[in-house]
């Protein structure tokens, strides 16, 4: 055990992901996301090619050196002590810079105004809400459920039927994955 | 002209239609977009944009915003403005059409430039409603500029082509470094004005397109995809970098343009308001044009 604060991470084990879309559906339902916004997405590569097909689930990866946080012109991002990357929707102007900086295409933009201009950015919060009062009505409305504050696992990982989607502090996640890889007799 | 407007409207409709169906960013192309971030063979525009935006852009804009006016303030204090009598004969150089086109562009710039700065220094303003409004105005006032940019390009194109006199103009910087009134051998537009013409027109069009890319996100440009082989997100990154870099040039020359017309040549701004240029101004600063007008008996 290191005495440093744990950093929360997602990891999707592509050997286990069966492309059931439960994570993205559960996420959208739990946070009552509008259509067109998908905080979590399941991606399949080489669809139908035997032996090569691989699926994985992608959302905000809560980067340690989050590039979104570095480029935001209004500084609306903040990284919690536990490593969860969150942002303030009341500050966000919907410029899109975080999307250009993001390696994972995580930031999403609702088209809610006239002429289809971009509204405040929306992304995975690792079910940890936002800067508003925890579990307040406004927080739920803007950021969705705050399951972390209630001691629950993020929705996507909670519903993953094959336990492909892992979430927790980086060390525990890598321990679980290492055990799995050893069990499968793989090298990496 | 009409074709141009159709092109813009068509592109806008296409952009929203595409968005409604399948996004190139979050849909099929997502993996391709991700791979483009840091792979060896990719352009690495993701890390490049992140580095430039987080460390340089705002500082360079601050440098331009403070530095350019500072230089002109020194110029005003040390060299001083050029004052020409405004009671002499005048020549009607800019007709109503010229002035309306110019004024529409002027008003657009007067909104676009300050709102751009509010966005760049968004953290200073604390984000939220004010900066969001600035962002929306920044986009809305692009529309009038888009409408006039081509007519403006066409109406001054002939006068804005560079020639050998411009080299001489640059060598003495148009005589603006000396207190004396020198006879400058320039036609209707001098080299400085020509430079501003090209930055405003070509830079302006670049700003319109890169801005439209960022505004609509899913702006579909098959031609650009095929030409560059870049994914949508990389095109967006390139647009953001281009928009900022071009912004430095446009803003620097915009400030110069305002300083020249309002301060450096006292009262020069009236020529674009009333359409009349002063004989003395033309005689000294645009001597070639003056001779031509004189031959035609305009003065």
């Amino acid at each position: 055990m290191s005495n440093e604060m744990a950093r929360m991470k997602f990891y999707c084990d592509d050997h286990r992901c069966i492309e059931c879309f439960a994570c993205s559906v559960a996420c959208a339902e739990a946070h009552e996301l509008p259509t067109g916004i998908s905080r979590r997405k399941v991606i399949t590569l080489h669809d139908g090619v035997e032996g090569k097909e691989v699926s994985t689930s992608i959302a905000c990866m809560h980067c340690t050196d989050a590039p979104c946080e570095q480029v935001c012109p209004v500084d609306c991002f903040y990284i919690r002590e536990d490593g969860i990357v969150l942002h303030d929707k009341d500050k966000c102007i919907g410029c899109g810079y975080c999307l250009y900086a993001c390696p994972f295409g995580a930031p999403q933009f609702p088209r809610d105004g006239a002429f289809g201009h971009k509204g405040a950015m929306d992304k995975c919060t690792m079910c940890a809400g936002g800067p508003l009062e925890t579990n307040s009505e406004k927080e739920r409305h803007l950021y969705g459920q705050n399951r972390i504050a209630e001691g629950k696992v993020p929705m996507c990982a909670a519903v993953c039927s094959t336990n492909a989607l892992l979430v927790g502090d980086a060390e525990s996640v890598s321990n679980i994955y290492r055990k799995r890889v050893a069990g499968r007799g793989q090298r990496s | 002209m009409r074709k141009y407007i159709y092109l813009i409207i068509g592109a806008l409709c296409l952009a929203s239609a595409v968005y409604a169906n399948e996004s190139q960013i979050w849909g099929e192309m997502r993996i391709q977009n991700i791979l483009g971030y840091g792979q060896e063979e990719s352009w690495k525009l993701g890390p490049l944009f992140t580095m430039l935006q987080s460390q340089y852009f705002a500082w360079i804009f601050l440098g331009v915003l403070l530095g350019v006016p500072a230089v002109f303030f020194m110029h005003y204090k040390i060299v001083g403005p050029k004052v020409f009598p405004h009671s002499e004969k005048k020549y009607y150089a800019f007709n109503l059409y010229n002035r309306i086109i110019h004024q529409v562009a002027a008003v657009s710039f007067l909104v676009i430039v300050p709102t751009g700065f509010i966005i760049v220094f968004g953290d200073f303003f604390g984000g939220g409603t004010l900066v969001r409004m600035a962002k929306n105005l920044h986009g809305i006032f692009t529309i009038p500029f888009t409408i006039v940019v081509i007519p403006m390009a066409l109406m001054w194109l002939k006068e804005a082509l560079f020639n050998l006199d411009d080299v001489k103009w640059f060598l003495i910087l148009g005589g603006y470094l000396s207190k004396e009134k020198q006879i400058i051998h320039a036609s209707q537009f001098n080299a400085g004005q020509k430079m501003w013409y090209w930055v405003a027109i070509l830079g302006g069009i670049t700003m319109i397109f890169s801005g439209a890319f960022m505004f609509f996100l899913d702006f579909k440009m098959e031609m650009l995809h095929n030409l560059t082989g870049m994914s949508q997100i990389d095109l967006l990154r390139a647009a953001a970098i281009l928009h900022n870099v071009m912004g430095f040039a446009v803003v620097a020359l915009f400030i110069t343009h305002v300083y020249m017309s309002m301060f450096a040549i006292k009262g020069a701004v009236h020529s674009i308001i009333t359409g009349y240029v002063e004989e003395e101004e033309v005689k000294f600063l645009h001597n070639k044009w003056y001779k031509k007008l004189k031959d035609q008996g305009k003065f």
Side-chain angles (χ1 to χ4, degrees):
Chain A
M1 273 299 286
S2 68
N3 42 14
E4 262 179 49
M5 188 79 183
R7 285 198 83 91
M8 298 288 279
K9 292 288 172 195
F10 276 122
Y11 188 81
C12 184
D13 185 344
D14 55 19
H15 279 88
R16 286 194 176 213
C17 180
I18 56 168
E19 197 198 351
C20 71
F21 290 93
C23 50
S24 69
V25 173
C27 172
E29 273 306 304
H31 303 302
E32 295 176 28
L33 302 179
T35 42
I37 298 287
S38 44
R39 291 183 179 180
R40 180 166 281 289
K41 252 203 151 145
V42 177
I43 300 280
T44 300
L45 290 175
H46 309 297
D47 203 351
V49 181
E50 231 173 289
K52 278 188 87 179
E53 188 180 290
V54 59
S55 295
T56 190
S57 171
I58 300 174
C60 171
M61 300 299 277
H62 300 274
C63 307
T64 308
D65 58 342
C68 51
E69 188 260 348
Q70 296 172 36
V71 299
C72 180
V74 295
D75 263 344
C76 78
F77 288 89
Y78 62 102
I79 302 178
R80 290 180 15 154
E81 267 197 341
D82 57 6
I84 299 178
V85 180
L86 296 178
H87 73 293
D88 186 341
K89 281 195 182 182
D90 289 326
K91 265 193 187 175
C92 173
I93 59 167
C95 67
Y97 275 18
C98 49
L99 172 67
Y100 316 149
C102 180
F104 304 104
Q108 314 264 308
F109 295 92
R111 301 274 160 169
D112 53 9
F115 309 112
H117 75 245
K118 298 190 287 288
M121 187 271 279
D122 189 274
K123 73 167 192 71
C124 160
T125 63
M126 210 184 256
C127 290
L132 297 165
E133 190 195 331
T134 302
N135 281 328
S136 62
E137 194 49 49
K138 194 155 182 240
E139 186 197 42
R140 198 187 318 279
H141 176 70
L142 283 179
Y143 307 95
Q145 292 185 24
N146 192 337
R147 294 171 60 89
I148 295 282
E150 294 168 351
K152 293 176 184 165
V153 173
M155 202 66 205
C156 50
V159 298
C160 184
S161 56
T162 60
N163 275 349
L165 192 56
L166 302 170
V167 63
D169 70 283
E171 216 166 308
S172 317
V173 169
S174 66
N175 280 342
I176 293 171
Y177 188 62
R178 203 173 296 127
K179 245 180 244 168
R180 282 185 190 175
V181 170
R184 289 181 203 132
Q186 287 173 336
R187 302 205 79 225
S188 60
Chain B
M1 180 62 207
R2 181 169 288 175
K3 212 171 143 194
Y4 177 73
I5 293 172
Y6 283 150
L7 191 80
I8 294 284
I9 294 170
L12 299 192
C13 295
L14 197 72
S16 39
V18 164
Y19 188 81
N21 291 326
E22 177 64 320
S23 160
Q24 303 168 68
I25 296 159
W26 297 286
E28 283 297 294
M29 284 171 76
R30 184 149 176 176
I31 292 290
Q32 199 194 332
N33 289 341
I34 295 169
L35 292 180
Y37 194 80
Q39 279 203 332
E40 283 302 316
E41 65 270 30
S42 89
W43 293 39
K44 296 196 175 161
L45 288 175
L48 179 68
F49 169 72
T50 304
M51 187 263 286
L52 291 173
Q53 166 62 20
S54 61
Q55 290 172 37
Y56 296 103
F57 284 160
W59 289 111
I60 296 174
F61 270 118
L62 189 66
V64 171
L65 181 62
L66 299 178
V68 177
V71 168
F72 288 140
F73 183 76
M74 302 266 285
H75 175 264
Y76 195 82
K77 284 284 159 205
I78 296 167
V79 181
K82 292 208 186 307
V83 185
F84 294 99
H86 275 210
S87 53
E88 306 283 312
K89 279 174 273 176
K90 298 172 196 298
Y91 169 64
Y92 189 58
F94 301 110
N95 63 31
L96 192 63
Y97 172 75
N98 295 151
R99 282 175 287 153
I100 288 173
I101 294 287
H102 178 272
Q103 259 62 298
V104 171
V107 170
S108 310
F109 266 62
L110 285 175
V111 175
I112 292 172
V113 173
T115 51
F117 275 113
I118 294 177
I119 299 168
V120 170
F121 306 121
D123 48 353
F124 175 80
F125 293 99
T129 314
L130 173 77
V131 186
R132 207 173 294 140
M133 221 157 67
K135 188 204 76 168
N136 292 337
L137 285 175
H138 196 72
I140 289 167
F141 275 82
T142 307
I143 298 169
F145 179 67
T146 308
I147 294 168
V148 298
V149 68
I150 295 294
M152 190 158 70
L154 294 178
M155 77 188 186
W156 284 327
L157 176 65
K158 225 173 77 197
E159 285 81 23
L161 295 172
F162 283 100
N163 57 39
L164 278 178
D165 291 334
D166 298 323
V167 180
K168 289 179 211 147
W169 188 94
F170 273 116
L171 287 178
I172 55 164
L173 269 179
Y176 287 106
L177 297 182
S178 99
K179 285 186 183 187
E180 287 161 47
K181 286 180 194 169
Q182 291 169 273
I183 299 245
I184 306 292
H185 201 61
S187 44
Q188 183 172 358
F189 291 149
N190 63 37
Q193 289 171 297
K194 289 175 183 179
M195 197 165 71
W196 168 233
Y197 170 92
W198 291 109
V199 169
I201 300 295
L202 297 183
I205 292 171
T206 312
M207 295 302 263
I208 291 169
F209 274 100
S210 55
F213 252 92
M214 294 193 283
F215 186 93
F216 294 104
L217 290 181
D218 263 334
F219 211 56
K220 208 161 195 168
M221 294 285 273
E222 283 299 335
M223 204 183 72
L224 269 181
H225 286 295
N226 297 339
L227 203 71
T228 59
M230 284 153 83
S231 66
Q232 183 69 13
I233 201 90
D234 267 351
L235 281 175
L236 284 166
R237 286 163 183 155
I241 295 171
L242 199 62
H243 201 80
N244 278 280
V245 172
M246 197 54 96
F248 306 147
V250 172
V251 166
L253 286 182
F254 175 68
I255 297 172
T256 310
H257 188 57
V258 171
Y259 173 71
M260 285 296 160
S261 64
M262 306 271 276
F263 301 100
I265 308 153
K266 274 275 186 281
V269 69
H270 292 294
S271 64
I272 201 67
I273 297 170
T274 62
Y276 288 95
V277 288
E278 308 293 330
E279 182 180 10
E280 287 284 302
E281 268 174 35
V282 178
K283 190 176 168 186
F284 280 101
L285 299 175
H286 302 272
N287 196 258
K288 203 170 156 190
W289 190 35
Y290 180 72
K291 281 179 187 154
K292 202 176 107 191
L293 290 175
K294 194 114 194 182
D295 287 346
Q296 291 170 353
K298 296 283 167 57
F299 277 115

